[in-house]
Amino acid sequence: MDACVVRIPAAPETRDIGAFDAPVLISGGVCSNLEALTAFLDAAGRAGIPPARIVHTGDVVAYGADPAGAAERLRQSGMHAIQGNVEESLARGRPECGCGFDPGSPCDTLSADWYGYADARIGAGLRAWMGGLPHQLVFTMAGRRIRVVHGGVTEISRFLYPSTPDRDFEAEFAAASADIVIAGHGSIPFTKRLGARIWHNSGALGLPANDGTPRVWYSRLEPDGDGVRFTHVPLAYDHATARRKMLDAGLPRGYADALSTGLWPSLDVLPAAEQKRTGQPLELAA
Ligand SMILES: [Fe+2]
């Protein structure tokens, strides 16, 4: 990785939210997508899962048209949430998103547009709320200790994907004090098993998975015997409205179109294996 990439070390704040013996929903980055967040909360309501059993893994603000609306909706929902790199950057008044993109890359260039748009619309109250969120959570289910992080355990903006070498996941688990880690940031849903340990990413709620469909993803975990079962759940929502609002706001067309095409405007954060899967609809087993 380029030595010039801005690295924000993960802060040590970890909040213990207790033990759960009933299903928990995991939401990845809402990414300023109010339509997707609304659809998700509606789905949670239909499933009878209260906000006290929902976890957001950070980046409530990113590409979309409603940074303040989405952040306020999530805050008022009362669900558990951690800081992603975007919450951290906004709370600290940083001039850029802290996403970990290579300088000058397409993602880096596009982020200047959407981050500036969001930065101009998030007021002091939401910044204070973001800055007061923990960076990580821990909880237990079926006797398993589970840690929730944004990117990696040791680095908030670390990108980890299914093809990432096992040794990289081993290093993360070595710092986790847990044998299950739930992460976000990368926007590709997957569940990777390394022996008895599990690394899980729900995907992003506010951005499709680059699989050629407009679906977004969340996940459900629940006790299953003496273990924990993860289920990836696709979510259909009003992506046409979310896209139109982005275009009307003058946000980058590439991300706006991605909401409907399911194809990202740039693949530069993805390893080669995930780049090759571009446009292939995901089929995720539980
Ligand atoms: Fe992130």
Side-chain angles (χ1 to χ4, degrees), residues 143 182 242:
I182 295 171

Short mmCIF file of all heavy atoms in Angstrom, two decimals, residues 143 182 242:
data_model
loop_
_atom_site.label_atom_id
_atom_site.label_comp_id
_atom_site.label_asym_id
_atom_site.label_seq_id
_atom_site.Cartn_x
_atom_site.Cartn_y
_atom_site.Cartn_z
N GLY A 143 -22.36 -18.35 23.90
CA GLY A 143 -21.07 -18.53 24.54
C GLY A 143 -19.88 -18.07 23.72
O GLY A 143 -18.74 -18.19 24.16
N ILE A 182 -17.04 -9.26 13.31
CA ILE A 182 -17.98 -8.69 12.35
C ILE A 182 -17.43 -7.34 11.92
O ILE A 182 -17.14 -6.48 12.76
CB ILE A 182 -19.37 -8.52 12.98
CG1 ILE A 182 -19.96 -9.89 13.33
CG2 ILE A 182 -20.30 -7.74 12.05
CD1 ILE A 182 -21.24 -9.83 14.14
N ALA A 242 -33.31 7.01 -4.84
CA ALA A 242 -32.00 7.34 -4.25
C ALA A 242 -31.04 7.83 -5.33
O ALA A 242 -30.29 8.79 -5.13
CB ALA A 242 -31.44 6.12 -3.52
#
